[in-house]
Amino acid sequence: MAKTKSVYVCNDCGASSPKWVGQCPSCNAWNSLTENVQAPSSPRRGVISIDGFASRTEIQTLDNIKPEDLTRYSTGLEELDRVLGGGMVPGSVVLLGGDPGIGKSTLLLQALTTMSAQTQTLYVTGEESAEQVAMRAHRLDLDSKSLQIMTENGLERILQGVQQHKPGIIVIDSIQTLYTELLQSAPGSVSQVRECAAQLVRFAKQSGTALYLVGHVTKEGALAGPRVLEHMVDTVLYFEGEASNSFRIVRAIKNRFGAVNEIGVFVMSETGLREVNNPSALFLSRQGDRVSGDVVLATQEGTRPLLVEVQALVDSSPHNNPRRVCVGLDQNRLAMLLAVLHRHADVSLSDYDVFINVVGGVRISETGSDLAVVVAMVSSLRDQPLGKDLVVFGEIGLGGEIRPVQRGQERLQEAAKLGFKRAMVAAANKPKQAIKGMDVIAIKRLGELFQLFQ
Ligand code: TYD
Ligand code: MG
């Protein structure tokens, strides 16, 4: 019998090493190597031989290739369709990542039942029993007449079943439960996840089947298993949200068929996920007056403007090292804003704890939030609330200058639509034609923001 050999594979990047080491030599992650048993070497499988390759591949010019009229499958959920770039492209592979219990299975079950009216669909579950899925479909009141289901973990048997039934759309829930007989390592190990995904992607491309892969997320927030998974697929979606509230956000991290950073907003209800078509209204609390430190930011998520509340609490600190805590914003950006505020507006917060929170569990990654964060901090420091009708956006440079952001006009229009009457923006973002009912305060330097507090 051929000798088996152990290799140590990094759970983060998939690099392998013949010996166990504490730090991955390739990606420098600590303690990420796990033992895998390498199968005895055998002829390469799944690779087209040179002869086959030569006979099947020809070189041609790009304009000779007519893109087929791709009709996208609609998921029946407008929010999800938009994140996908206008529906699900046949032959594309989507990876949906998220914490356990966030609602990945619920979302895909809902989408799949709608799509089963357009083509044959198959739900492969390796985590739940068929009865559990049926119970959920029943509870969600889904029309599951034409939805096919398979409870299986073996990749070979899944591919066999799929070749018989030829579905147009397949959901694999989840990729971490699959194993291929080619490898001896346990399901969920890096090599298994990578090999199973590779075979499924190859199958999807060859057959034109649309494929959803569900992936678990590690404690650190990355997709469990090698990051190579993200390179192999066409679209990477993250399902975000907090256990404490019912908002759920689907975010496109990578998309070969649409805009990245596009988000879809849902609410988890008793009867499954419901879409939220006007998220700005959802993230703004309309009751009562604004308290100090509370500012509405007009931000941009993908192709859509979004209004969210930014809150700051500036409080005298009992510590030698005052605390700077950000929820929903980048901590380093806050440090930079504090320095700019000190240097260019003569406001020092070095004796104060600063807490920043973006309401509703939204995460802001764009620099257009700078001005809103600074205005919120000043409002909290002076204990002066700002009016309910004010919206703010703009980037702040290290020189204390206020820089314009993309799509200023759309953000202002969204704010006007929701009843805001005043906006503070960078001078370069001031619209050439006035927006009805909106008074735009355009500023060039940081110091000019104090006109809000007179
Ligand atoms: P699930 O889709 O199983 O999560 P995942 O596949 O990401 O692990 O979602 C399970 C959670 O959603 C569970 O905590 C219960 C909740 N839920 C509802 O609140 N309402 C519903 O209608 C359903 C089906 C689930
Ligand atoms: Mg699940």
Side-chain angles (χ1 to χ4, degrees):
M1 209 179 114
K3 223 172 108 197
T4 54
K5 213 170 82 184
S6 282
V7 286
Y8 294 84
V9 179
C10 171
N11 277 324
D12 282 2
C13 69
S16 61
S17 149
K19 274 198 317 214
W20 190 85
V21 281
Q23 187 180 25
C24 170
S26 168
C27 70
N28 295 335
W30 286 97
N31 210 7
S32 63
L33 265 62
T34 50
E35 184 178 4
N36 279 270
V37 182
Q38 201 173 39
S41 64
S42 50
R44 294 220 275 163
R45 280 159 293 209
V47 177
I48 305 162
S49 70
I50 301 290
D51 296 345
F53 195 71
S55 64
R56 283 169 61 171
T57 312
E58 48 180 310
I59 295 179
Q60 40 188 325
T61 55
L62 198 55
D63 66 342
N64 271 340
I65 305 167
K66 298 275 170 277
E68 283 168 45
D69 208 9
L70 287 181
T71 37
R72 298 187 178 216
Y73 301 119
S74 163
T75 60
L77 297 161
E78 235 177 80
E79 293 288 299
L80 184 59
D81 278 351
R82 203 192 44 254
V83 175
L84 289 168
M88 185 79 188
V89 177
S92 70
V93 183
V94 174
L95 178 64
L96 178 68
D99 290 330
I102 199 84
K104 302 181 293 295
S105 307
T106 309
L107 178 73
L108 290 182
L109 191 63
Q110 283 180 241
L112 209 56
T113 36
T114 312
M115 292 192 285
S116 61
Q118 300 160 46
T119 177
Q120 246 199 78
T121 54
L122 176 67
Y123 186 87
V124 181
T125 169
E127 292 189 347
E128 293 164 290
S129 67
E131 289 76 27
Q132 277 175 309
V133 179
M135 256 164 55
R136 174 178 298 161
H138 187 69
R139 193 151 61 83
L140 300 180
D141 205 11
L142 296 173
D143 174 21
S144 47
K145 272 199 302 294
S146 40
L147 176 68
Q148 292 175 316
I149 180 163
M150 182 179 194
T151 2
E152 184 56 70
N153 299 52
L155 180 73
E156 282 73 18
R157 284 189 294 277
I158 292 173
L159 288 175
Q160 234 172 38
V162 157
Q163 264 146 13
Q164 271 172 17
H165 289 274
K166 299 200 170 41
I169 304 171
I170 308 174
V171 168
I172 305 281
D173 190 2
S174 67
I175 186 75
Q176 271 101 352
T177 57
L178 294 198
Y179 68 91
T180 161
E181 282 154 18
L182 295 181
L183 301 174
Q184 291 174 350
S185 48
S189 68
V190 184
S191 38
Q192 283 284 6
V193 168
R194 193 168 47 179
E195 180 61 27
C196 290
Q199 292 207 34
L200 285 166
V201 170
R202 205 177 308 138
F203 166 78
K205 299 288 165 201
Q206 279 170 0
S207 61
T209 312
L211 185 66
Y212 283 97
L213 304 176
V214 174
H216 291 293
V217 160
T218 59
K219 281 200 292 296
E220 290 78 34
L223 276 167
R227 289 194 69 99
V228 282
L229 219 52
E230 298 191 2
H231 301 292
M232 280 163 19
V233 300
D234 299 307
T235 304
V236 180
L237 305 181
Y238 269 91
F239 207 2
E240 304 170 351
E242 280 164 31
S244 55
N245 66 34
S246 56
F247 304 138
R248 300 283 184 268
I249 293 177
V250 182
R251 188 186 295 271
I253 304 294
K254 160 184 173 180
N255 195 353
R256 289 188 181 142
F257 305 105
V260 285
N261 265 331
E262 191 76 77
I263 62 165
V265 183
F266 297 88
V267 177
M268 179 63 96
S269 72
E270 290 283 292
T271 50
L273 287 156
R274 271 192 294 113
E275 305 182 71
V276 177
N277 293 323
N278 188 358
S280 292
L282 184 82
F283 292 129
L284 297 176
S285 64
R286 281 312 191 82
Q287 290 98 6
D289 284 333
R290 291 244 172 275
V291 290
S292 62
D294 198 357
V295 167
V296 176
L297 159 72
T299 180
Q300 181 81 29
E301 286 285 357
T303 57
R304 185 168 62 174
L306 181 70
L307 268 64
V308 289
E309 248 174 273
V310 176
Q311 291 188 315
L313 178 67
V314 175
D315 191 27
S316 58
S317 175
H319 308 289
N320 287 340
N321 266 337
R323 305 193 62 188
R324 277 85 178 82
V325 180
C326 280
V327 180
L329 270 179
D330 179 22
Q331 192 106 9
N332 293 330
R333 195 83 195 164
L334 175 64
M336 191 201 97
L337 293 176
L338 287 170
V340 176
L341 193 59
H342 181 215
R343 180 70 186 271
H344 296 284
D346 212 14
V347 176
S348 168
L349 296 180
S350 57
D351 297 332
Y352 293 89
D353 288 334
V354 178
F355 303 91
I356 307 286
N357 178 36
V358 183
V359 177
V362 187
R363 249 195 13 235
I364 308 277
S365 50
E366 67 144 10
T367 51
S369 59
D370 292 352
L371 189 57
V373 173
V374 169
V375 168
M377 289 193 293
V378 174
S379 157
S380 174
L381 178 71
R382 299 187 167 199
D383 201 13
Q384 274 188 7
L386 296 150
K388 272 182 88 167
D389 56 352
L390 176 77
V391 54
V392 176
F393 61 88
E395 181 180 331
I396 299 178
L398 287 181
E401 77 278 17
I402 311 295
R403 297 166 166 267
V405 298
Q406 288 177 355
R407 301 184 190 237
Q409 181 94 11
E410 276 133 328
R411 298 183 199 213
L412 289 170
Q413 268 157 354
E414 172 83 2
K417 212 165 69 190
L418 286 162
F420 287 86
K421 299 204 168 50
R422 290 186 303 149
M424 175 168 269
V425 303
N429 271 134
K430 189 178 166 97
K432 290 188 189 71
Q433 277 182 344
I435 296 173
K436 202 163 156 272
M438 176 66 83
D439 179 18
V440 178
I441 312 164
I443 61 172
K444 285 196 170 125
R445 311 247 353 130
L446 190 59
E448 294 170 48
L449 72 85
F450 293 101
Q451 57 184 289
L452 288 176
F453 297 95
Q454 274 147 19

